[in-house]
Amino acid sequence: MFPISALTRVAPMLVGQWRSVHGSAGLLFRSTPVLCAEPLKKKKKLDPQIVKQREERKRKRLEKQIRRLEKNARQLKPIEELEVPMELIDEQGKRRRAVPRPTPELIESRALLEKQWARYRMQEKLGDYQLFDRIVAAQTKALNELRLESEPLYQQAIQPDQTLVPFSAQGPVATPPIKDYEQPDGEYIDVSRKWE
């Protein structure tokens, strides 16, 4: 049996190695971790010819997979949502409309109308830009004058106005539970089609 003084000198060095059995650090009852081990198995010596055959089979299998992937690489994966149903293809003759060909006068009037619309939109955009420039220039001039008059008023004027866009929201903080809902355990069955 060790004297208590010897235990107190040795224990700080062994704290990281042993597990405490008792919660109190003052008692210093400790146990070693359980070591479950068995002797290593001897490696069986394999015939080098068998090892070479296994490696050759692996290499051939990989080459075959690579060839198959290269062959199917050019085929695009079909998107089922974009496929046209067969009923619509069958009814294509019934659904086709007889659209009259536009006359040259109609084509000319449409082109002129598009040009007029483009001019109108360009003038509208330029007017908007000029209006914004005038507003920003007037605001800058007013702020500069205010700064010359009073620095505290200027600092107060450049603060954002919280009441300008009043917004408050109230609602549930959590979604109410769904009655008789079975929570999934993380497993699912993949039903999507496989394309290779």
Side-chain angles (χ1 to χ4, degrees):
M1 184 86 185
F2 285 110
I4 301 251
S5 60
L7 276 176
T8 55
R9 279 185 302 213
V10 175
M13 294 183 287
L14 304 175
V15 168
Q17 297 175 1
W18 291 340
R19 232 172 3 161
S20 175
V21 173
H22 193 273
S24 173
L27 296 178
L28 298 173
F29 286 111
R30 307 208 178 261
S31 66
T32 59
V34 178
L35 300 175
C36 299
E38 59 183 32
L40 296 173
K41 293 181 180 175
K42 289 185 178 178
K43 284 189 174 180
K44 294 180 182 177
K45 288 191 176 181
L46 291 176
D47 188 19
Q49 190 66 26
I50 295 173
V51 174
K52 190 176 180 183
Q53 285 176 350
R54 285 182 185 169
E55 289 176 359
E56 187 69 25
R57 270 191 240 125
K58 276 186 188 176
R59 191 175 58 77
K60 283 184 179 179
R61 195 178 320 124
L62 284 173
E63 285 176 356
K64 185 178 177 183
Q65 287 178 349
I66 290 171
R67 277 197 307 271
R68 193 176 71 223
L69 288 173
E70 285 175 350
K71 185 174 69 173
N72 294 332
R74 291 175 213 74
Q75 296 177 0
L76 297 176
K77 180 178 177 181
I79 302 172
E80 294 175 3
E81 292 84 14
L82 299 181
E83 290 180 6
V84 181
M86 289 303 294
E87 302 91 47
L88 294 181
I89 294 173
D90 293 341
E91 295 174 0
Q92 191 173 7
K94 297 177 192 174
R95 293 174 176 268
R96 192 176 301 273
R97 296 182 188 172
V99 181
R101 295 189 67 123
T103 61
E105 295 84 19
L106 183 63
I107 293 172
E108 185 69 25
S109 68
R110 285 180 181 173
L112 288 173
L113 194 62
E114 284 180 7
K115 287 179 184 177
Q116 281 180 335
W117 177 250
R119 272 192 227 104
Y120 169 74
R121 291 293 293 164
M122 187 184 73
Q123 293 298 328
E124 190 179 37
K125 186 181 275 190
L126 283 175
D128 288 345
Y129 287 159
Q130 290 169 355
L131 178 65
F132 294 149
D133 288 343
R134 284 197 305 270
I135 290 171
V136 169
Q139 183 184 22
T140 307
K141 183 178 177 185
L143 285 173
N144 289 338
E145 292 293 327
L146 182 63
R147 190 173 209 172
L148 292 174
E149 288 293 319
S150 170
E151 183 68 28
L153 284 176
Y154 169 77
Q155 292 298 329
Q156 192 175 3
I158 62 173
Q159 295 300 319
D161 188 7
Q162 300 296 335
T163 61
L164 192 62
V165 183
F167 176 76
S168 63
Q170 275 187 325
V173 294
T175 307
I178 300 171
K179 187 178 179 183
D180 300 329
Y181 176 71
E182 292 184 15
Q183 184 176 358
D185 59 352
E187 295 179 7
Y188 69 97
I189 300 169
D190 189 8
V191 295
S192 57
R193 292 169 62 182
K194 301 284 189 241
W195 301 96
E196 293 184 17

